[in-house]
Amino acid sequence: MSHSGGRRGRGVGRASRVEHVTDSSLPLAVFDLDNTLADTAHRQRFLEREPRDWDGFFAAAPQDPPIAEGVALVLESARECEVVYLTGRPERCRRDTLDWLAAHGLPEGRVYMRRDNDRRPARRTKLEILRRLAGTRDVRVLVDDDELVCEDAERAGFRVVRARWTAPSAELKVAQERDGRT
């Protein structure tokens, strides 16, 4: 796994850091982005048409407002854990994602993204990365809004906090599960 600052990774689970120093003695707190920390409601319209406008959907991500409940939880977690971000966003969104995290004062941490051409369901890609992380570190918690991701993570023995602070989006659920897009 690459943890190179600023370079774009190409594989599932490649991470970069946002000016971050890893303390391997700390447990990990793993946070999803979309509808956990970033409110995607304003860009759902791009998924409500056929064909779905993925370029428009991801291009609008830098304008996502932060979600107060998620931000409070990530800030609280950062006091005792190393924060890691695990998103289904494609790798091509890395720069916008890193800029968004920094602009909203979120804790520095590795960011794991899916390969641009990876269309597997989010529950598969995220669980794969969680297991990899757990192979070397204590994963204290996963915070995610996707029920299927949460269910699979719980079945695998991870502690999960369901991010239920935004209205569920049927379009985003399809995007995560069937289309393997976020």
Side-chain angles (χ1 to χ4, degrees):
M1 254 189 243
S2 170
H3 301 290
S4 59
R7 287 189 306 163
R8 291 180 169 256
R10 299 191 78 172
V12 169
R14 297 294 288 248
S16 72
R17 44 186 205 155
V18 183
E19 301 299 321
H20 180 71
V21 177
T22 301
D23 179 350
S24 61
S25 68
L26 294 176
L28 299 176
V30 182
F31 282 82
D32 174 45
L33 293 175
D34 291 339
N35 287 336
T36 298
L37 299 175
D39 188 345
T40 66
H42 72 100
R43 54 187 170 114
Q44 293 303 308
R45 69 185 186 278
F46 294 107
L47 302 181
E48 294 168 356
R49 60 184 106 173
E50 288 295 331
R52 289 182 173 85
D53 181 1
W54 292 107
D55 290 337
F57 180 77
F58 289 119
Q63 286 76 50
D64 289 354
I67 301 170
E69 295 89 342
V71 169
L73 188 55
V74 77
L75 293 173
E76 177 184 324
S77 297
R79 288 190 280 231
E80 296 181 0
C81 299
E82 177 185 339
V83 172
V84 172
Y85 301 98
L86 175 56
T87 180
R89 290 179 185 185
E91 186 62 43
R92 70 180 180 275
C93 298
R94 181 171 293 279
R95 177 52 35 215
D96 284 345
T97 300
L98 295 175
D99 290 347
W100 187 90
L101 291 166
H104 294 288
L106 293 167
E108 299 168 348
R110 291 174 285 168
V111 176
Y112 292 87
M113 305 181 91
R114 72 169 66 234
R115 287 187 316 263
D116 286 337
N117 61 351
D118 186 347
R119 298 288 187 263
R120 293 176 299 155
R123 67 180 201 273
R124 285 198 184 138
T125 59
K126 288 184 174 185
L127 194 58
E128 177 183 304
I129 294 167
L130 278 173
R131 285 185 170 133
R132 222 180 298 154
L133 290 170
T136 59
R137 299 282 293 278
D138 173 34
V139 176
R140 180 169 289 174
V141 66
L142 166 68
V143 183
D144 202 300
D145 70 305
D146 185 326
E147 286 296 324
L148 295 173
V149 169
C150 293
E151 289 169 9
D152 283 2
E154 285 177 332
R155 272 194 290 275
F158 293 98
R159 180 174 168 260
V160 172
V161 171
R162 285 174 165 77
R164 292 183 172 148
W165 33 81
T166 61
S169 162
E171 291 80 18
L172 194 57
K173 184 174 183 175
V174 168
Q176 292 169 324
E177 184 59 21
R178 189 192 74 201
D179 297 342
R181 294 286 189 143
T182 186

